[in-house]
Amino acid sequence: MKGLAKHISLLFSVFALAACGGTSVSTDSTSGSTDATSSQAAPKNKVSSESLYVKKVDNLPNDFIFGMDASSVPSLEKSGVKFYDFDGSEKDVFEILSHNGVNYIRVRVWNDPFDAEGHGYGGGNCDINVAKEIGLRATKAGMKLLVDFHYSDFWADPAKYQAPKAWANMSAEEKGEACYEYTKQSLQLLKDAKIDVGMVQVGNETNNGIAGETTWLNRWRIMDGGSRATREVFPDALVAVHFANPEKPQNYENWASKLAYYELDYDVFGTSYYPYWHGTLDNLSSILTKIAGEYGKKTMVLETSYANTNEDTDFYGNTIGESASGEYPFTLSGQANHMRNLTDTIVNRTNNSGIGVCYWEGTWISVGTNSWEENVEKWKEYGSGWTSEYSASYESEDAGYNGGSAVDNQCFFDKNGKVLESLKVFGMMAEGNVTELRADGVENPVATMYTYDSAFQLPSTVNLIYNDNSRKAVPVTWDAFDLEQARAAGNNTYYIKGVSDGFDVELTLHVLEYNFIQNYSFEDGIDPWHVTKRNADKIGDSYKNEITNENPKSGDFAYHFWASASNTAGFDMEQDVTIETAGTYKYSFCLMGGIASGTPDPEKQDIYGYVKVNDEIVKKVDAKFTGYSKTYENGTFLIEGLELDPSQKITVGIHLFANESGSWGDVDDFMLNIVL
Ligand code: CA
């Protein structure tokens, strides 16, 4: 409802294509050596493609980190999964990754992801021993290891950060020491195995806590333990912190300042960036640039991904589901273009602080394509799904059942383990790769029709998306749709299918009654409302009459009033309205509220909405407090049958006087609509 703007708007999302998923042409040169000895970041062999268009990323450093989280690989292989190169030959997946430009492998580490009987919780059962197995293979393939300590026995993220079982009864100080010892022993194990550890994360998506600790002092105790141990065992490795939700940049500023206040010793401020949820690249660039400048840290995207198909192949639903869509088509080119544009942002738009991007988890493919029944046995036995029933004793709220891969449509391998052409993007960004332009998908348009607008037509073109991510408007044919019927039916949303250049396309059409009230939801400050505040001379500790973000009906703001316990509240608010045609109108607004304690007495409230014509009230509606409700349930008040003419002076308003101590409430969403 916030978008009830004056102008008809056309916004776009992208339709995900089913086409173009299967046939990839490979011209991959097979000159890469398999006995990797170099830890240099540059790909060891020349990567090329006849079908994948990759725009060059300027200024890409040789040592830029192209990471791949591959934590599930050992459990997948135990479940029978094999990986195949472009020529169809079975090959070590780490060799395939390395040959296509990946130079870092990330692995999550849980302290003890097993129940009392030794059954794994799932998610690859990734303890330090699994990390060692992965690290040995990564090092052999010439890649460095990024160790991602969750400091938990299972998944840690913004919603959960449970302490390991062994730390459950410790004080925060004791946990900090235990973390130091645990990190030191774990890293020493990797060092003794001659694994090339390049970076260590002290916590995973630690927005709200770590190891069961939520205060910043106690969080610092854990992170500091991890950092000190890393400096001791791998003095050349980078220490990284990791947060999620860059779309709320004020949180990142706050967290970075807390780390600085406690003087945490770290090098890299890392973030997750899932484009479906985490805001724009402009926003990402802006917040990372700011943190790099203020705190002198390197920055990095520690997790990202993009779907190359809507299809689910393991009978366990994906985070990006079958009806989802995004900014790029869900194709191999869409996946590659996401990686290319994200990399370009980190390389060229972070004030030289960006050191890498890491994908999550491009190898977590299906354990089988026959049936859920077959797969569930493997997820349970080998921990190759994201959770198993054995985790219930530790994590019963979210996990604790047998689930599979939720990202098998975001991998760089198909359901049978064969590498996808899109993986080559990592090895081709430095120089770029120009191929023939080919239509790859089409944008799904979003349009708004106001019911009074009899001239509205469905859009005649949509944007075709090419494999280089360029876009061009092309004609579209929509299925039959009765605009007049939709106009008569009033507020609603319709999904209209069509065809454009051979691609299926879907229009989201919002039908809205036009609202003649300006700034109806207080999203743009107070103008052009005129407010007279009761006790205006005493506004402050005892009274409030102001726009706040506490209880918005729509958008982010509402007009809030409050009086302290021994005082009463009140104000008058109105605005003059311009209409264009004579006709029958209706006026409404939303109100909720109450008193400091107990049930408000309706007799002590003098509240009404009104419409004035030429400064005389022509109609009123009585209103009363309706208690607290986020949705303003029972809190909409309506005047109908207003005969208005553009030649008149028209004013809408509300009078509110609550003569009972401790009155409070909010008003929002004032509407004046023409009745067709
Ligand atoms: Ca799945």
Side-chain angles (χ1 to χ4, degrees), residues 311-319 366 379 404-409:
E311 190 191 2
D312 170 48
T313 58
D314 75 343
F315 311 98
Y316 180 78
N318 295 328
T319 52
S366 173
W379 299 332
S405 171
V407 294
D408 51 87
N409 62 338

Side-chain angles (χ1 to χ4, degrees), residues 235-350:
D236 294 333
L238 297 168
V239 174
V241 296
H242 179 202
F243 296 99
N245 304 99
E247 77 280 13
K248 294 174 182 163
Q250 67 279 16
N251 286 344
Y252 275 33
E253 290 184 51
N254 177 29
W255 299 334
S257 76
K258 292 291 196 297
L259 297 175
Y261 177 82
Y262 287 105
E263 298 182 349
L264 181 74
D265 176 18
Y266 74 102
D267 308 297
V268 182
F269 188 94
T271 181
S272 292
Y273 180 71
Y274 294 102
Y276 332 99
W277 312 306
H278 288 167
T280 63
L281 288 174
D282 284 347
N283 173 69
L284 183 70
S285 154
S286 151
I287 184 59
L288 293 185
T289 297
K290 192 161 192 178
I291 284 169
E294 281 178 24
Y295 301 101
K297 300 298 178 186
K298 302 178 199 307
T299 61
M300 177 166 167
V301 172
L302 289 166
E303 291 185 19
T304 190
S305 69
Y306 205 80
N308 56 49
T309 171
N310 284 89
E311 190 191 2
D312 170 48
T313 58
D314 75 343
F315 311 98
Y316 180 78
N318 295 328
T319 52
I320 303 306
E322 299 190 349
S323 62
S325 64
E327 187 186 346
Y328 311 94
F330 288 166
T331 60
L332 298 179
S333 286
Q335 187 182 28
N337 282 326
H338 161 70
M339 283 313 298
R340 186 271 166 203
N341 289 345
L342 176 60
T343 302
D344 184 54
T345 300
I346 297 303
V347 170
N348 291 309
R349 298 173 60 206
T350 60

Side-chain angles (χ1 to χ4, degrees), residues 559-628:
Y559 193 83
H560 181 71
F561 56 91
W562 169 85
S564 63
S566 59
N567 293 296
T568 57
F571 63 90
D572 289 90
M573 175 188 285
E574 64 180 38
Q575 74 166 262
D576 296 335
V577 177
T578 303
I579 60 171
E580 286 164 19
T581 51
T584 306
Y585 288 75
K586 59 183 180 179
Y587 169 60
S588 65
F589 61 91
C590 295
L591 163 73
M592 70 158 173
I595 57 174
S597 61
T599 307
D601 179 354
E603 295 303 313
K604 294 185 174 171
Q605 298 164 36
D606 181 23
I607 308 173
Y608 57 88
Y610 59 86
V611 175
K612 289 180 184 169
V613 170
N614 299 331
D615 296 323
E616 295 291 333
I617 290 179
V618 293
K619 284 206 176 192
K620 280 169 63 171
V621 57
D622 281 327
K624 299 292 175 197
F625 288 159
T626 52
Y628 174 72

Side-chain angles (χ1 to χ4, degrees), residues 87-211:
D87 62 3
S89 64
E90 190 185 334
K91 205 168 191 178
D92 185 282
V93 64
F94 295 94
E95 295 290 340
I96 298 173
L97 293 170
S98 173
H99 284 185
N100 287 284
V102 174
N103 54 29
Y104 252 78
I105 295 297
R106 181 176 185 252
V107 60
R108 59 179 160 272
V109 177
W110 294 314
N111 293 43
D112 179 27
F114 300 94
D115 71 7
E117 281 76 48
H119 296 122
Y121 291 167
N125 299 340
C126 290
D127 63 3
I128 193 62
N129 296 312
V130 173
K132 179 181 163 185
E133 181 185 343
I134 289 173
L136 284 170
R137 290 169 68 180
T139 302
K140 181 163 180 269
M143 299 182 285
K144 286 179 183 276
L145 193 69
L146 194 179
V147 185
D148 169 22
F149 286 112
H150 284 224
Y151 299 132
S152 182
D153 284 344
F154 207 35
W155 299 104
D157 57 40
K160 48 190 183 291
Y161 33 85
Q162 197 179 162
K165 294 182 285 290
W167 303 0
N169 296 318
M170 293 181 181
S171 69
E173 292 93 327
E174 289 166 340
K175 282 183 195 172
E177 244 355 81
C179 182
Y180 166 76
E181 289 298 337
Y182 167 76
T183 306
K184 191 169 144 182
Q185 283 171 22
S186 298
L187 292 179
Q188 192 62 48
L189 186 80
L190 303 181
K191 190 176 188 181
D192 292 345
K194 299 190 163 40
I195 291 166
D196 192 1
V197 174
M199 196 184 309
V200 176
Q201 260 182 255
V202 291
N204 187 78
E205 292 192 338
T206 57
N207 294 19
N208 297 310
I210 184 168

